[in-house]
Amino acid sequence: CPLCSSTQPPHSPALSSVPRESVAGTSGQAAHHRGGGSTLVGKRGRRIREEQRRQIGKRSISHQQDPLPSRTKAKAAIAGVMNKRPREDEPSSSQKRQFGAGGGYGEQEGYSEERISAQRVADHYSARSNQTLEERENSPIIHLKKLNNWIKSVLVQLYARPGDCVLDLACGKGGDLIKWDKAKVGYYVGVDIAEGSIKDCMTRYNGDSDQQRRKKFSFPARLICADCYETRLDEYLREDAPFDICSCQFAMHYSWSTEARARQALANISALLRPGGTFIGTMPDANVIIKRLRESEGMEFGNSVYCITFGEEYTEKKFPASRPFGIKYKFHLEDAVDCPEWVVPFHLFKLLAEEYDLELVLMKNFHEFVHDYVQRPEFADLMRRLGPLGDGRSGQSTLSQDEWEASYLYLAFVLRKRGPPPSQRRANNPNRGKTFLAEEDIEFLSI
Ligand SMILES: C[S@@+](CC[C@H](N)C(=O)[O-])C[C@H]1O[C@@H](n2cnc3c(N)ncnc32)[C@H](O)[C@@H]1O
């Protein structure tokens, strides 16, 4: 993942210190926006992709079902705003100006603005090639990437159990495969919208990526290229379900462009998790983002490693509770991200999740998360080995103030699927997944 460094942790002897102060304001100059590279952009790109999918047509299915559940509980609590069917095709003209026409997607007729944005996100991530070890170590946000990895590792260690079936939504390049392996999970299904990333994930799983040179993973796997927030994964993965744990790291916010997408995401997760199963994730902290926006003079804020820009439709910096979806901003993180993202008001995420029988267990901003879990000896030791805070030796580089501020933009959450866990674990199906994946094994789901 561009936000995380997924190398094997080097061993480092001592933990220097955990920054404790919360961020009092932004510092430094806003970073320059890099032009995000993209592959297969526009009509020609779409034709090529569609052709590729036709060739693998046997494995493709098409889904257009209504993601809204029949149940309506908790809807009143969400002040009625989530009762309405979402508007699929009504982007504001200023949104179009900022992210559509300028990005070269405005001419894709017949595609909703949300679909175009999702493709733009996919193209952005697909275009990011795997970095070499040296490139990664030279990244201006290397310590932030390592901190992100530590946070994900803690979540996996806290909630995964040996033998678990894992559903990794928006798995990216498979940056968490090693974490799942260390947790001794029994089966892994990774899904991502970005074809380039899922292929890199396959390479990493097979153990042939040059930076990896490690033993093969002990669990069988299956990889799927699909939009997790549009596709009925519950139907497609019916035979693999139920999963014990679902993970969606640094990606849930890409579902929040419309209510329908947010609901489809949660419907998939809920339907695929077993009762008592766990959903772990990380995503931007809307409270921090909106606070920072209001503190800034213009529509942009950031520091030397990140920059967030809101469009002119939000000049008043007001975000009515009646429109909690589709609040788009442009996120630039040096050497990592350059694409549209969506604000996820966490209290609404929690309420919507409850409609899908997913109950909140934990939510912590990354600063609080680090502060709380680094107190535990096993995680302090992991922090030393992963090295985000340096190794305690003087002269060693460590997380910069700007990286620490950028980490304040995120939160970690844990939800649990309601219901008593089954008394017995389901027997492992030896036919599930493969222990070596060829490109033909990657499954493509069209919408
Ligand atoms: C910041 S990366 C995180 C990757 C991975 N979860 C990790 O932590 O290493 C965000 C990922 O979300 C994926 N993504 C974004 N929108 C998606 C969607 N609608 N369906 C599936 N994957 C999506 C991107 O392709 C990208 O791989």
Side-chain angles (χ1 to χ4, degrees), residues 70-328:
S70 53
R71 290 161 297 134
T72 53
K73 63 187 169 184
K75 283 187 172 167
I78 314 173
V81 290
M82 293 177 184
N83 285 329
K84 291 178 281 186
R85 286 287 287 135
R87 299 174 309 166
E88 291 283 6
D89 293 304
E90 297 175 33
S92 75
S93 55
S94 48
Q95 277 177 335
K96 262 190 182 148
R97 264 202 306 284
Q98 196 185 357
F99 298 115
Y105 292 82
E107 290 168 15
Q108 293 185 1
E109 284 157 29
Y111 275 64
S112 70
E113 178 82 358
E114 289 71 39
R115 205 65 77 72
I116 292 164
S117 293
Q119 192 54 52
R120 183 168 183 172
V121 170
D123 288 340
H124 164 72
Y125 283 106
S126 256
R128 287 193 58 86
S129 56
N130 255 337
Q131 289 184 312
T132 62
L133 258 183
E134 196 184 352
E135 283 167 342
R136 238 200 297 261
E137 282 301 316
N138 289 331
S139 165
I141 57 159
I142 180 61
H143 295 99
L144 176 61
K145 290 179 177 187
K146 288 177 176 177
L147 187 73
N148 290 345
N149 251 326
W150 178 83
I151 288 169
K152 292 194 292 177
S153 298
V154 171
L155 284 173
V156 169
Q157 287 186 26
L158 284 172
Y159 293 100
R161 297 283 165 266
D164 270 0
C165 295
V166 180
L167 176 62
D168 191 357
L169 294 182
C171 62
K173 295 171 188 295
D176 295 341
L177 285 169
I178 294 178
K179 300 173 189 68
W180 295 117
D181 202 37
K182 288 191 169 148
K184 298 187 169 55
V185 301
Y187 180 51
Y188 174 92
V189 176
V191 189
D192 200 283
I193 194 173
E195 194 174 331
S197 300
I198 207 89
K199 284 183 177 163
D200 286 344
C201 184
M202 177 200 78
T203 308
R204 184 167 282 160
Y205 174 76
N206 289 334
D208 5 289
S209 64
D210 59 354
Q211 67 268 66
Q212 201 170 308
R213 282 194 213 94
R214 71 187 309 282
K215 70 170 176 60
K216 274 178 67 66
F217 293 101
S218 52
F219 50 83
R222 183 175 173 190
L223 294 179
I224 298 166
C225 186
D227 186 333
C228 304
Y229 314 138
E230 289 275 352
T231 317
R232 288 285 303 265
L233 289 176
D234 56 335
E235 290 195 344
Y236 190 70
L237 291 173
R238 187 177 289 144
E239 286 180 10
D240 276 354
F243 289 84
D244 301 290
I245 184 161
C246 172
S247 172
C248 184
Q249 302 298 339
F250 297 104
M252 197 64 204
H253 50 298
Y254 295 118
S255 75
W256 218 257
S257 55
T258 65
E259 180 180 347
R261 285 172 67 78
R263 282 186 181 278
Q264 187 64 70
L266 292 166
N268 281 338
I269 294 160
S270 177
L272 288 167
L273 271 181
R274 66 163 165 77
T278 314
F279 173 33
I280 57 175
T282 44
M283 68 177 165
D285 186 332
N287 281 340
V288 174
I289 291 174
I290 300 303
K291 185 164 178 279
R292 289 278 173 272
L293 174 68
R294 289 182 176 150
E295 284 166 359
S296 73
E297 281 193 0
M299 299 307 291
E300 188 169 283
F301 60 94
N303 62 26
S304 67
V305 299
Y306 83 91
C307 180
I308 289 181
T309 314
F310 280 81
E312 59 206 34
E313 65 272 35
Y314 300 115
T315 310
E316 290 191 15
K317 303 186 180 179
K318 287 188 183 146
F319 300 92
S322 55
R323 277 180 280 138
F325 300 95
I327 304 172
K328 183 152 62 173

Side-chain angles (χ1 to χ4, degrees), residues 362-374:
L362 173 148
M363 187 282 268
K364 284 180 196 287
N365 179 280
F366 272 15
H367 280 196
E368 189 190 357
F369 190 98
V370 172
H371 181 262
D372 288 358
Y373 287 103
V374 83

Side-chain angles (χ1 to χ4, degrees), residues 322-336:
S322 55
R323 277 180 280 138
F325 300 95
I327 304 172
K328 183 152 62 173
Y329 57 88
K330 183 160 188 222
F331 184 53
H332 169 82
L333 181 63
E334 210 45 37
D335 187 38

Side-chain angles (χ1 to χ4, degrees), residues 12 15 18 146-147 150 370 374 378-390:
S12 38
L15 178 67
V18 183
K146 288 177 176 177
L147 187 73
W150 178 83
V370 172
V374 83
E378 69 274 31
F379 299 139
D381 185 54
L382 183 68
M383 182 76 94
R384 262 181 232 112
R385 283 185 285 120
L386 288 174
L389 305 178

